[in-house]
Structures are given as structure tokens and as C-alpha cells.
Amino acid sequence: MFKAFSRTLFSSHRLFNCTLNPQKPLRFTLALMSTAASAAAVKRVGTHNGSFHCDEALGCFMIRLTKKFSDAHIVRTRDPQVLETLDAVLDVGGVYDPSTDRYDHHQKGFVEVFGHGFNTKLSSAGLVYKHFGKEIIAKELDVDEDHPDVHRLFLVVYKSFMEAIDAIDNGINQYDTDQPPRYVNNTHLSSRVGKFNLDWIDPDQSAENENAAFQRAMVLAGSEFLDNVRSHARSWLPARSIVMNCLEARLDVDTSGEIMVLNRFCPWKLHLFELEEEMKISPPIKYVLYQDDRSKSWRVQAMAVAPDRFESRKALPAQWRGLRDDELSRETGIPGCVFVHMSGFIGGNQTYEGALAMAKAALKL
């Protein structure tokens, strides 16, 4: 089902067809390109030289996964005359025009977003993903682009991976706050890609060395992108049918329809939100029960109000929170209780029957 893209990751000897220097005459630049790419059939994708960021490194990687730009040569320059000759241009040039494969986002008046409920302004990577993401995912799944699984993965990969890259590149804070952050996070992908830039004390500041660093950045960003797609395809997507079946059987668990039991633990939260809306579930699920694979005890998890929120639709009762074992069992009147978290978002019992009794009691309190 899944196709390998190792040829993309390891075809480094064909990645850059030339080293461009905007200080040198155009005649010399074009001569370099003619020598390195004598076959006109090989497409050329341009991005700027100098310091690079995650968005153009990932954008260049992704666009080379497409049929139109398969294994295209990457040309790094800011020379506008050179950029005009290229088949596609990312993150430079001041033009966004998918009809001519121009994908810059720095120009005045640029407000393009991904859509589908997402409002973060796109970077060059987001633009490439918006126009080519479905093709890339369909190739990975080995299905047609109009397959419903492609659209589902298209959205979830943007939410879980791409949107952060767009936001960071455009300087959009993750939270609205007038306070400084409590800690610094330099471990995210955009930060790690940035560390591939040449250090100011590096004795070799040549364009060749810079291009080699950009190539390593492409490999890192691209491999994590593909890992994200494949993880969602192999793990997250198959869970949808499990959640759907359990949701349909909710009335067999409790006549309230507000308790769902997962017969097999899997990634369920986002699926449940989507399926509730699609299936017009009312009243919505308040508690989800599932067995802990390690302890074999059962969990009672309160459903959050939204996928990205910590607040619960109906947290477990305040009088239960922070209690454990016998003390909790005495308070609830239910044997076998293990714990209830201080926030009330989750609790546990040694048996399924006990966990279900906790959920039913919590609905009434």
C-alpha cells in the first residue's frame, strides 16, 4: 500500500544542478545551468540562496514528490532574471500564482490560507501542500486523489504537522498572551532545520557548502513530513472504523447514549469529534471507557469540549478528584476504584463493570 520515497531522500548527487551567485553576470549563470542540465526534460525549481528556513526546505522536498516536478533540480538564487527561467519558484520572487507555479508568501497583500476551517497564513511549504498535498498523499496510499481517505489525511496532516510550520515562518504566536513564555522551545522542526545554516565562524562560507547544508535540511524536513503522513495512514486512519462501530453501539452500553466503550484502544479523540458531527449524535458523548493495555484495568475518560481544549464536557465529580483506591471506592460506593485525576478528566477502576458504574454515577452527579 505504501510506496517508498528513498530515491528522493538519497538522490543527493542530482539535487542541485548549479551554484548560482547573483553577483556574477547572467551569462555566466546561464552557462552554469546549461552545463549542469543539458537535458531540457529535467524541471528546475527555484528558491532563494542565503539563510534558509523550514518552509522552503520542506516545500522543495514536497514538490519533488509530484509527477510534474519529480526529482527536479533545485536552483538557489535571488536573481530575478534567473527566477523567470525556472519551472517553479518557492519562497522568493514576490509572486503567488499557482497557474505558473510561483509560490511566494512575502509580498504585500498576501493573505492565502489553507481553508477547511484553518485560518493561519500560509508559508511556501503550506502553499505547496495546499496545491500538491493530495497528489502526494494519494501516491503514498496508492489510491486515486478523490478517495475519501486522501481528503481525511490531507486535513489531519495539515493540522498536526503543516500548520505549525506555516505559523512559525509567518511569526504567528501559538497562544494569545501578553506574558512572556515560561520556557523556550528550540526542539521543534523549524528550529532544528534552522540549525543547518552555516555558522558564522565556519571557514567555508561558499555557495556549495550552503547548498549542501540546505540539502541536509530538505532531507530532515521531508523525512519527518513523510513519517507524519505514514503514521496517520497506518495508525490513525484505520482507527476511524473502530470508533464508528463503538459509537453506533453506545446505546447497548447505556440508554443515555452518553457513554462509549472502545473495544480496542486506538487513536479515537479526533475521530469521535468528527463522527459525532457527521452522524448528528445527540446528546454528545460524555465518557469513553477503554482498557489499559499494561495494567489491564479500565479507564473512564471525560470527553473534551473540543479537540484542542483541556476542559471536559462533564468532568468526573469534584468530590472524587484526587482520591485513590479504598478511599475513592468508599466515596463512590463502587468497589475496585483506582484513581480520579485532580482535574477530573480521567479516572480508573480495576474492572469494566466498575468503570461503567463510575461513568453512570458521574452522569447523575
Side-chain angles (χ1 to χ4, degrees):
M1 183 177 182
F2 303 96
K3 294 185 175 180
F5 288 103
S6 57
R7 59 186 178 87
T8 301
L9 288 170
F10 301 108
S11 59
S12 58
H13 63 289
R14 296 191 296 126
L15 186 57
F16 296 100
N17 66 330
C18 58
T19 300
L20 299 179
N21 188 336
Q23 306 302 320
K24 294 185 178 181
L26 177 61
R27 189 184 318 161
F28 176 75
T29 298
L30 293 176
L32 278 174
M33 291 194 297
S34 176
T35 301
S38 57
V42 178
K43 296 291 182 74
R44 293 176 298 144
V45 173
T47 190
H48 61 83
N49 57 355
S51 295
F52 51 81
H53 301 96
C54 185
D55 71 313
E56 71 265 25
L58 178 58
C60 286
F61 181 94
M62 288 192 298
I63 205 168
R64 296 177 78 238
L65 298 179
T66 67
K67 182 177 180 181
K68 185 176 183 179
F69 297 103
S70 177
D71 293 336
H73 291 307
I74 304 300
V75 179
R76 301 186 70 237
T77 182
R78 295 181 186 272
D79 189 327
Q81 297 181 71
V82 175
L83 293 174
E84 287 181 5
T85 70
L86 303 179
D87 299 291
V89 176
L90 281 61
D91 209 47
V92 69
V95 176
Y96 167 51
D97 182 3
S99 67
T100 58
D101 290 307
R102 264 51 188 169
Y103 304 104
D104 197 10
H105 67 111
H106 296 100
Q107 58 274 22
K108 184 177 180 180
F110 178 87
V111 293
E112 190 74 9
V113 298
F114 185 66
H116 307 286
F118 297 95
N119 298 306
T120 299
K121 190 168 77 169
L122 298 180
S123 67
S124 61
L127 288 171
V128 171
Y129 185 77
K130 179 171 183 173
H131 293 283
F132 297 101
K134 286 188 177 181
E135 178 190 343
I136 294 169
I137 290 170
K139 182 188 288 187
E140 181 72 2
L141 296 181
D142 198 16
V143 297
D144 294 332
E145 279 189 49
D146 58 0
H147 193 286
D149 286 350
V150 171
H151 183 69
R152 293 189 183 105
L153 286 176
F154 183 58
L155 298 183
V156 75
V157 169
Y158 184 79
K159 179 178 178 64
S160 66
F161 187 86
M162 295 298 307
E163 187 175 21
I165 293 168
D166 288 337
I168 291 171
D169 194 77
N170 283 302
I172 300 171
N173 289 327
Q174 191 173 12
Y175 302 101
D176 292 328
T177 176
D178 57 357
Q179 299 295 320
R182 294 180 182 272
Y183 56 88
V184 174
N185 179 13
N186 288 322
T187 62
H188 54 74
L189 179 60
S190 294
S191 177
R192 285 181 283 124
V193 165
K195 290 181 173 66
F196 280 108
N197 279 286
L198 301 184
D199 195 286
W200 67 277
I201 60 173
D202 194 321
D204 184 358
Q205 297 285 325
S206 66
E208 290 82 2
N209 199 27
E210 185 181 274
N211 284 347
F214 183 74
Q215 175 192 328
R216 293 193 293 273
M218 282 179 58
V219 170
L220 173 65
S223 62
E224 293 204 12
F225 166 74
L226 288 178
D227 284 346
N228 187 276
V229 172
R230 290 166 180 165
S231 174
H232 278 94
R234 292 170 178 163
S235 174
W236 178 83
L237 191 59
R240 181 181 174 85
S241 61
I242 296 174
V243 177
M244 180 182 290
N245 291 336
C246 294
L247 186 56
E248 289 173 338
R250 69 194 184 283
L251 293 175
D252 296 334
V253 175
D254 185 65
T255 55
S256 70
E258 298 177 83
I259 302 172
M260 187 184 84
V261 177
L262 278 176
N263 53 29
R264 179 181 179 185
F265 185 78
C266 62
W268 57 270
K269 295 178 185 178
L270 184 57
H271 289 307
L272 183 50
F273 281 108
E274 293 177 348
L275 288 168
E276 281 184 326
E277 184 175 349
E278 292 175 18
M279 299 167 65
K280 296 180 171 52
I281 299 298
S282 182
I285 297 296
K286 301 301 189 301
Y287 302 113
V288 176
L289 276 58
Y290 56 87
Q291 189 173 33
D292 183 274
D293 287 338
R294 289 170 294 185
S295 67
K296 300 305 179 183
S297 62
W298 280 80
R299 298 286 183 260
V300 183
Q301 184 158 340
M303 187 71 171
V305 297
D308 55 353
R309 297 284 295 275
F310 291 111
E311 299 89 346
S312 301
R313 290 174 176 172
K314 187 173 177 58
L316 292 170
Q319 59 266 39
W320 297 359
R321 299 174 198 172
L323 302 182
R324 298 189 62 89
D325 304 324
D326 292 343
E327 185 180 7
L328 179 58
S329 293
R330 286 193 297 271
E331 177 64 36
T332 62
I334 301 168
C337 289
V338 178
F339 77 100
V340 169
H341 192 274
M342 284 294 297
S343 67
F345 89 98
I346 195 170
N349 194 284
Q350 295 173 5
T351 68
Y352 164 73
E353 291 77 13
L356 180 57
M358 290 175 70
K360 288 182 177 182
L363 283 178
K364 299 174 183 178
L365 292 176

